[in-house]
Amino acid sequence: MTTRVHDAPAQPVSIEIDGLTKRFGTFTAVDNVSFQVRRGEVLGFLGPNGAGKSTTMRMLAGFMTPTAGTARIQGHDVQSDGVAARRVLGFLPEGAPTYPEMSVEGFLRFCARVRGFSGSELTDRVDHALQVTTLRGVRLQPVETLSKGFKRRVGLAQALLHNPPVLVLDEPTDGLDPNQKHEVRALIERMAPDKAIVISTHILEEVGAVCTRAIVIAGGRVVADATPAELEQRHPSGRLEEVFRMLTMEPA
């Protein structure tokens, strides 16, 4: 597990979320959420189903308009300066959309062209994304023929194409087998020193494996923000699973 060094020089703030709120009619899905993520941090964003994790990530990525509050990526407001914000963001949403009839390589080349790459740089970007996500062996297969785990890796590859300084990954290891999960976690660890990374996950062991910090959200509100080790100390068992239950389960 990577340990955050408290007395190290502060890295630049890459993500700023201030009072982010989303209401659907009378239901408040995200309620006044605020936090920052600095370069070099891997933030585990945790919460039960319906807690507001994916809604928060969609607002951060500019795919959903907040009811109130603001979010900035590398200083760019995701609403008023959305194009600039998305240039420096790699986003893997829940159920990442693809064009199923395209081959893996064809889809990534399409994404690279959308990102403004061409010629040899486009080819280099696609080749690198195929390599780091271990997709070379299926690069010519139609996306629709792939397993859920491979489709997830295609979504991750498109998020990494432009080598963004900020990554927002909604359950990046969902559907992956144990070997594939290990590969993705190792990739995240390699990228971590130069990026600000937010990972939503239900796999609590993943938090201890790759995250330097964890935020727990329940009922649309932040209920904890600490290192994984600090969270574990909140329960006599020292188990993150028990801390998660304690923080997110409503009293009977």
Side-chain angles (χ1 to χ4, degrees):
M1 180 182 74
T2 307
T3 302
R4 183 173 61 182
V5 180
H6 290 275
D7 57 359
Q11 293 290 334
V13 173
S14 297
I15 297 172
E16 301 170 84
I17 290 179
D18 185 11
L20 211 57
T21 300
K22 183 63 179 180
R23 299 187 186 93
F24 298 96
T26 59
F27 173 68
T28 301
V30 176
D31 190 1
N32 196 33
V33 167
S34 299
F35 61 85
Q36 296 181 347
V37 186
R38 296 181 181 274
R39 188 177 69 194
E41 281 192 303
V42 181
L43 174 66
F45 197 46
L46 313 177
N49 289 335
K53 301 186 305 297
S54 292
T55 301
T56 301
M57 297 176 97
R58 290 186 188 118
M59 288 190 288
L60 174 58
F63 283 82
M64 184 179 286
T65 303
T67 305
T70 58
R72 290 177 291 275
I73 300 174
Q74 298 282 94
H76 303 290
D77 188 285
V78 298
Q79 295 299 316
S80 63
D81 198 11
V83 173
R86 284 189 281 274
R87 284 196 183 108
V88 293
L89 170 69
F91 180 46
L92 174 64
E94 183 181 22
T98 60
Y99 290 98
E101 71 280 2
M102 284 186 171
S103 69
V104 171
E105 184 173 345
F107 173 69
L108 293 177
R109 291 183 69 85
F110 166 77
C111 292
R113 285 193 295 271
V114 171
R115 286 282 181 188
F117 298 113
S118 61
S120 61
E121 185 178 18
L122 182 151
T123 299
D124 290 344
R125 295 276 182 172
V126 170
D127 285 347
H128 180 70
L130 289 168
Q131 178 183 351
V132 298
T133 54
T134 324
L135 286 170
R136 286 189 181 277
V138 297
R139 70 187 189 281
L140 300 180
Q141 284 186 226
V143 173
E144 64 188 353
T145 68
L146 301 178
S147 67
K148 179 180 179 181
F150 272 107
K151 288 177 181 176
R152 203 73 186 133
R153 286 154 72 184
V154 173
L156 179 59
Q158 66 78 26
L160 302 176
L161 271 174
H162 54 304
N163 191 27
V166 175
L167 288 171
V168 175
L169 310 175
D170 198 349
E171 300 200 36
T173 60
D174 183 38
L176 274 59
D177 65 36
N179 291 333
Q180 294 169 340
K181 287 179 182 178
H182 176 78
E183 291 168 0
V184 170
R185 291 171 187 170
L187 172 60
I188 290 169
E189 286 188 302
R190 290 196 301 272
M191 295 188 297
D194 300 317
K195 300 184 187 298
I197 304 175
V198 178
I199 300 171
S200 169
T201 181
H202 284 112
I203 306 170
L204 295 182
E205 69 181 55
E206 206 155 76
V207 178
V210 300
C211 296
T212 59
R213 179 176 156 214
I215 283 179
V216 182
I217 186 172
R221 294 187 174 188
V222 172
V223 295
D225 183 351
T227 68
E230 289 167 347
L231 283 178
E232 288 167 353
Q233 293 171 8
R234 296 191 181 192
H235 194 275
S237 69
R239 298 177 64 237
L240 197 54
E241 292 87 350
E242 295 300 328
V243 178
F244 181 85
R245 285 170 56 84
M246 180 181 70
L247 291 169
T248 61
M249 288 192 68
E250 296 182 2

